[in-house]
Amino acid sequence: MEENQSVFDLQVDQAASQNLLGTARWAKFLSVVAFVCMGLFLILFLSLQSQLSRGLSDLIPGLGASEGFGIILVIIIIVIGIVGLLMYFLLRAATHIRGGIETKNQQQFNAGLGYLKSYFTMYGIIAIIGLIFKILGLFSK
Amino acid sequence: MEQTNQDSSLFDLKIDETSKDLLRKVATWAMVVVVTSLIGYVTQIIQLATARNRAVEYEGFKFSERSQSNIGSTIFSIVVGLFLTYFLYQFASLSKKGVEAVSQPDLNKSFLNLKYYFMVTGILIIIGFTIALLVMLLFGASSMSR
């Protein structure tokens, strides 16, 4: 497929390389920050276990302290899992695009674009689900 | 831009058929994110408007359900969101145009917009973290002085 390409075809030239390397740098920064934030949030949540359990049992009288904490912990783990997967795709995209450009490796570059596609696909699906809930919330009021 | 195109050698990376296909899909999903974001902002504005109108009357006094700071933060988040959405829209439309019309300048501009999108998001996160840290430090200092 690549052999069929003419000199007039699209290339990752100097300007494209610079822009993609900048994209990869910021994308990597974002994903690393997100991973650190998720870790810190989980640590903070687990360290405040007793206070949160007490608060929940006060808020919902029928709910046991450990039950309430367990439900919230499961929700948080699911959210962290989804966001973690999203950030994993972004990190892989950044690493592969950067590696592909630096070593001029076409396969690695395409793998990076593949991860970027996975990132935006997942982001799009989450955005659609979020929008549905937002609209439902608007009509329920 | 033409100069840089001439500089690239035969050994440079190419936007081959696989890359083109992937870029088309990335652009399509980025556009989905743009459209859902815009609808989301409209929904937020509707929510804001209906909440403002829904004033609660209590013993002859009228109380608004939403505080001024809440309105301000919603408008601020919409403005920032629109700013980010603009870069993502530019990336999605230009990359699609670049791939379809085999236009190197459009493709380069699309990558530049993608860089801006992630850069602005990163800067906003840094600002957010700094503010959160300052608030925590102030809160900690005030609780220690009591």
Side-chain angles (χ1 to χ4, degrees):
Chain A
M1 223 175 277
E2 283 173 39
E3 286 167 7
N4 293 334
Q5 285 209 327
S6 72
V7 279
F8 303 108
D9 252 5
L10 295 170
Q11 289 183 329
V12 183
D13 62 7
Q14 197 78 35
S17 304
Q18 290 291 319
N19 294 336
L20 280 170
L21 285 172
T23 304
R25 213 173 15 249
W26 280 103
K28 193 172 185 176
F29 169 77
L30 277 180
S31 53
V32 169
V33 167
F35 280 123
V36 171
C37 279
M38 285 188 290
L40 284 174
F41 183 73
L42 199 63
I43 290 167
L44 193 73
F45 181 75
L46 292 172
S47 64
L48 295 172
Q49 186 177 354
S50 56
Q51 288 99 314
L52 284 168
S53 303
R54 227 179 300 129
L56 273 169
S57 55
D58 288 346
L59 204 69
I60 310 161
L63 199 73
S66 59
E67 279 173 17
F69 184 79
I71 291 165
I72 290 181
L73 188 65
V74 168
I75 293 167
I76 284 174
I77 287 169
I78 291 167
V79 171
I80 284 178
I82 293 166
V83 178
L85 187 63
L86 192 70
M87 290 303 134
Y88 167 78
F89 286 142
L90 190 61
L91 185 65
R92 296 291 283 180
T95 314
H96 278 74
I97 288 171
R98 196 192 176 113
I101 290 170
E102 282 173 352
T103 59
K104 294 192 191 298
N105 184 333
Q106 188 73 48
Q107 279 180 329
Q108 199 179 3
F109 178 72
N110 286 351
L113 288 180
Y115 281 115
L116 194 65
K117 187 207 81 182
S118 304
Y119 168 77
F120 275 109
T121 307
M122 196 174 168
Y123 189 7
I125 292 165
I126 292 168
I128 291 167
I129 295 167
L131 184 66
I132 290 166
F133 278 108
K134 218 175 213 180
I135 292 168
L136 284 175
L138 191 72
F139 284 110
S140 66
K141 278 184 181 175
Chain B
M1 214 67 85
E2 280 173 14
Q3 183 66 42
T4 53
N5 284 354
Q6 284 164 4
D7 289 343
S8 58
S9 71
L10 285 170
F11 305 105
D12 261 2
L13 284 175
K14 292 181 177 83
I15 303 292
D16 61 7
E17 286 307 313
T18 315
S19 319
K20 281 180 187 172
D21 186 46
L22 288 167
L23 273 172
R24 273 189 213 106
K25 284 174 183 165
V26 170
T28 305
W29 279 105
M31 203 52 103
V32 168
V33 174
V34 168
V35 172
T36 47
S37 301
L38 290 176
I39 299 169
Y41 301 142
V42 172
T43 317
Q44 259 180 291
I45 291 166
I46 292 168
Q47 265 178 337
L48 197 71
T50 51
R52 261 179 77 101
N53 293 337
R54 206 188 304 140
V56 181
E57 207 163 319
Y58 181 73
E59 289 187 359
F61 295 100
K62 271 194 174 178
F63 297 97
S64 180
E65 276 193 350
R66 264 180 182 257
S67 65
Q68 288 293 324
S69 62
N70 214 350
I71 295 163
S73 65
T74 309
I75 290 168
F76 178 75
S77 71
I78 290 171
V79 170
V80 170
L82 279 172
F83 191 54
L84 280 172
T85 310
Y86 169 75
F87 288 126
L88 199 58
Y89 169 75
Q90 285 286 315
F91 161 69
S93 58
L94 286 169
S95 61
K96 208 159 203 168
K97 196 177 155 193
V99 169
E100 301 300 340
V102 195
S103 166
Q104 189 72 46
D106 282 335
L107 193 71
N108 290 355
K109 269 186 221 163
S110 81
F111 291 146
L112 182 68
N113 278 285
L114 187 66
K115 185 180 92 174
Y116 287 155
Y117 171 74
F118 283 118
M119 192 173 81
V120 172
T121 312
I123 291 167
L124 285 171
I125 284 179
I126 293 169
I127 293 168
F129 258 116
T130 312
I131 292 168
L133 199 72
L134 283 171
V135 167
M136 275 165 72
L137 282 172
L138 284 171
F139 186 74
S142 66
S143 63
M144 277 178 80
S145 63
R146 272 178 210 160

